[in-house]
């Protein structure tokens, strides 16, 4: 069987563009976005794609063309959205440590809302808006203290995390915000974690936010929107993941007759399974009983296995090369943590092409130049067309800025 992305064989893409190579299916991006708009149709939500999952300009442009908004966590990500043709008016600015310069840029660009996470951040935003003669639309990120039941590094909705405002401090924070002259309090938000495989924590968080909304409205503070964050998981291995229709039904039931518009901030579930990382086998090596498949992609291209012990499915694209054996699939980087898979059954020979699945989210966007490795090229496939959306970096590019600063004395 020939493994492909849409109508193009992985083998030919690797031939044409080299490896390591990120390959994304445009149809899969569209389908993932439509899955949300269709499931939630009755609530007509604003879907704000979380740019940090994959910020490639062509991917942002594709989502913008579908009508998608954006969730950003830095001024750099806002610049990406604007460069891609996204609308600031559909962009939510999240993040726990926004600088004054980032706030000013976002205010002047006209973002839809600032998701604020602390009292000092409210004060800073008020001061920056006042200086610019603008009013800042704000939502408060509430930490609903529910256990998202995911990996601790991507769990964000517990009291022990740095994120959000604790439930018991929320009313006081809203009163504080309402009293600041250059803020316009419009919403409430949460984001309890990533790669959630259960629906219960998501609906529990929604329920807790709604209780707070009711308390606030009884006190005369009426909010326009509720933003439930991102976090629906995807299938990497054999996880069961929340059904979007069930999620939508739960939210609709909880919202009841309240006049609130809905915002969602999915990242991983819009891009994760649209992407594959292609990598070539350099060597097969045996150390005593242990086997290693050494490939040309590494933790700098896909950090998730090293960072979270994450599982990625890996297939041999080349015609089956003998019997499978158990090996660690590792990159060339000088770190023991540099692996794409451990104790994996795989048939592979030097020269074979491997497809690392589910590499659309938190892969290219987390890539680095560690070991002075140029970042891999990215290709977006649309039917039988392959569009290069990021050329492979060159070593000259990596050295240029420092070479220009070399001093002779
Ligand atoms: C990372 C993040 C998201 C996206 O999370 P996914 O799990 O990729 O859907 C959404 N909102 C905020 C505030 C985030 O930090």
């Amino acid at each position: 069987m020939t493994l492909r992305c849409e109508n193009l064989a992985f083998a030919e893409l690797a031939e044409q563009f080299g490896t390591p190579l990120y390959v994304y299916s445009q149809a899969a991006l569209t389908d993932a976005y439509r899955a949300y708009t269709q499931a939630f149709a009755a609530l007509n939500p604003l879907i704000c794609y979380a740019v940090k999952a994959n910020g490639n300009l062509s991917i942002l442009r594709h989502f913008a063309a579908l009508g998608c908004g954006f969730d950003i966590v830095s001024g750099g990500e806002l610049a990406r959205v604007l460069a891609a043709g996204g609308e600031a008016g559909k962009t939510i600015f999240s993040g726990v440590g926004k600088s004054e310069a980032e706030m000013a840029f976002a205010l002047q660009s006209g973002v839809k809302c600032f998701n604020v996470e602390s009292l000092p951040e409210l004060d800073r935003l008020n001061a920056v808006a006042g200086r610019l003669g603008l009013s800042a639309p704000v939502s408060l990120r509430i930490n609903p203290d529910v256990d998202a039941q995911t990996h601790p590094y991507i769990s964000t909705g517990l009291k022990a995390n740095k994120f959000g405002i604790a439930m018991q401090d929320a009313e006081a924070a809203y009163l504080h915000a309402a009293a600041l002259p250059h803020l316009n309090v419009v919403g409430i938000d949460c984001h309890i974690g990533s790669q959630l495989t259960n629906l219960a924590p998501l609906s529990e968080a929604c329920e807790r936010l709604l209780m707070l909304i009711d308390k606030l409205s009884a006190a005369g503070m009426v909010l326009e929107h509720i933003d439930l964050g991102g976090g629906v998981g995807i299938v990497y291995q054999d996880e069961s993941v929340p059904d979007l229709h069930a999620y939508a039904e739960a939210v609709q039931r909880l919202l009841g007759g309240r006049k609130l518009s809905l915002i969602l901030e999915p990242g991983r579930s819009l891009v994760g399974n649209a992407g594959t990382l292609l990598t070539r086998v350099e060597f097969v090596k045996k150390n005593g009983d242990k086997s290693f498949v050494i490939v040309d992609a590494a933790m700098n291209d896909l950090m998730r296995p090293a960072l979270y012990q994450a599982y990625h499915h890996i297939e041999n694209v080349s015609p089956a090369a003998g019997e499978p054996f158990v090996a660690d699939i590792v990159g060339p980087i000088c770190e023991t943590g540099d692996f794409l898979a451990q104790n994996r059954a795989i048939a592979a020979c030097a020269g074979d092409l491997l497809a690392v699945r589910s590499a659309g989210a938190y892969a290219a966007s987390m890539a680095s130049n560690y070991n002075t490795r140029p970042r891999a090229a990215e290709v977006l496939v649309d039917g039988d067309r392959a569009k290069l959306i990021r050329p492979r970096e060159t070593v000259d590019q990596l050295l240029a800025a420092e070479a220009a600063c070399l001093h002779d004395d």
Side-chain angles (χ1 to χ4, degrees):
M1 192 187 64
T2 311
L3 290 177
R4 19 179 115 245
C5 178
E6 301 199 15
N7 300 335
L8 299 180
F10 282 139
E12 276 154 39
L13 290 165
E15 237 10 90
Q16 187 180 351
F17 297 100
T19 54
L21 180 72
Y22 302 100
V23 178
Y24 310 113
S25 158
Q26 188 166 299
L29 299 175
T30 306
D31 289 350
Y33 175 72
R34 297 252 158 87
Y36 273 92
T37 56
Q38 283 164 10
F40 283 88
L43 295 168
N44 191 29
L46 176 62
I47 308 292
C48 291
Y49 167 60
V51 172
K52 74 176 193 284
N54 187 326
N56 185 287
L57 294 185
S58 297
I59 287 177
L60 301 185
R61 173 158 294 184
H62 181 66
F63 282 132
L66 294 173
C68 193
F70 298 96
D71 174 58
I72 56 165
V73 292
S74 71
E77 287 190 350
L78 176 55
R80 282 190 176 275
V81 168
L82 299 177
E87 285 175 54
K90 286 184 176 178
T91 299
I92 302 287
F93 194 176
S94 299
V96 71
K98 303 173 191 77
S99 72
E100 290 193 10
E102 288 176 320
M103 288 176 173
F105 176 35
L107 278 166
Q108 285 167 320
S109 303
V111 298
K112 179 177 173 64
C113 191
F114 290 83
N115 286 357
V116 172
E117 303 209 13
S118 66
L119 297 189
E121 188 190 339
L122 283 173
D123 294 336
R124 175 182 282 183
L125 183 58
N126 180 61
V128 174
R131 223 177 294 142
L132 295 171
L134 295 168
S135 172
V138 298
S139 161
L140 295 189
R141 175 167 174 177
I142 303 304
N143 188 330
D145 196 26
V146 297
D147 184 355
Q149 299 155 21
T150 184
H151 188 282
Y153 285 8
I154 48 177
S155 181
T156 54
L158 284 168
K159 268 195 264 184
N161 298 124
K162 71 177 174 182
F163 298 104
I165 294 168
M167 207 66 184
Q168 73 262 30
D169 302 331
E171 273 187 270
Y174 269 98
L175 289 173
H176 185 89
L180 293 171
H182 306 294
L183 301 185
N184 179 24
V185 181
V186 293
I188 190 165
D189 63 283
C190 70
H191 172 68
I192 58 171
S194 201
Q195 184 54 14
L196 270 54
T197 50
N198 288 324
L199 189 54
L202 286 165
S203 45
E204 172 110 12
C206 178
E207 201 170 351
R208 293 193 183 186
L209 257 50
L210 288 169
M211 278 165 52
L212 186 59
I213 285 176
D214 291 344
K215 265 198 208 165
L216 293 170
S217 94
M221 215 178 313
V222 178
L223 302 182
E224 294 166 20
H225 75 243
I226 179 169
D227 173 349
L228 296 176
V232 175
I234 63 171
V235 177
Y236 285 98
Q237 186 170 10
D238 53 12
E239 305 89 338
S240 66
V241 295
D243 173 62
L244 287 180
H245 283 94
Y247 185 20
E249 275 163 31
V251 172
Q252 192 169 4
R253 182 165 29 80
L254 291 168
L255 281 177
R258 295 182 188 82
K259 278 202 175 54
L260 279 170
S261 56
L262 175 67
I263 298 176
L264 299 170
E265 305 169 349
R268 186 190 309 275
S269 48
L270 290 188
V271 292
N273 276 333
T276 299
L277 174 62
L278 296 180
T279 181
R280 188 76 68 186
V281 177
E282 302 281 14
F283 306 105
V284 175
K285 166 175 171 172
K286 290 200 189 333
N287 272 354
D289 293 342
K290 183 104 190 162
S291 297
F292 296 91
V293 174
I294 303 174
V295 297
D296 66 0
M299 64 186 286
N300 75 300
D301 305 298
L302 182 65
M303 196 152 78
R304 301 188 65 262
L307 193 59
Y308 322 119
Q309 286 84 46
Y311 176 96
H312 284 263
H313 195 56
I314 301 180
E315 287 166 90
N316 192 333
V317 175
S318 307
E323 286 300 304
F325 53 97
V326 174
D328 286 6
I329 302 172
V330 302
I333 285 184
C334 303
E335 295 279 348
T336 303
D338 179 28
F339 56 84
L340 301 180
Q342 288 178 304
N343 299 319
R344 189 69 62 86
I346 186 147
C349 304
D352 282 358
L353 185 68
L354 305 186
V356 183
R357 300 298 198 169
S358 310
Y362 305 106
S365 65
M366 283 186 164
S368 79
N369 295 119
Y370 189 39
N371 281 208
T372 309
R373 288 171 50 87
R375 276 177 292 177
E378 296 178 86
V379 169
L380 182 59
V381 174
D382 176 16
D384 41 27
R385 206 169 135 228
K387 301 180 278 192
L388 182 66
I389 58 172
R390 188 180 208 276
R392 186 174 306 284
E393 269 177 341
T394 64
V395 171
D396 281 351
Q397 284 171 331
L398 297 191
L399 303 193
E402 293 154 62
C405 296
L406 278 174
H407 297 274
D408 285 325
D409 54 326

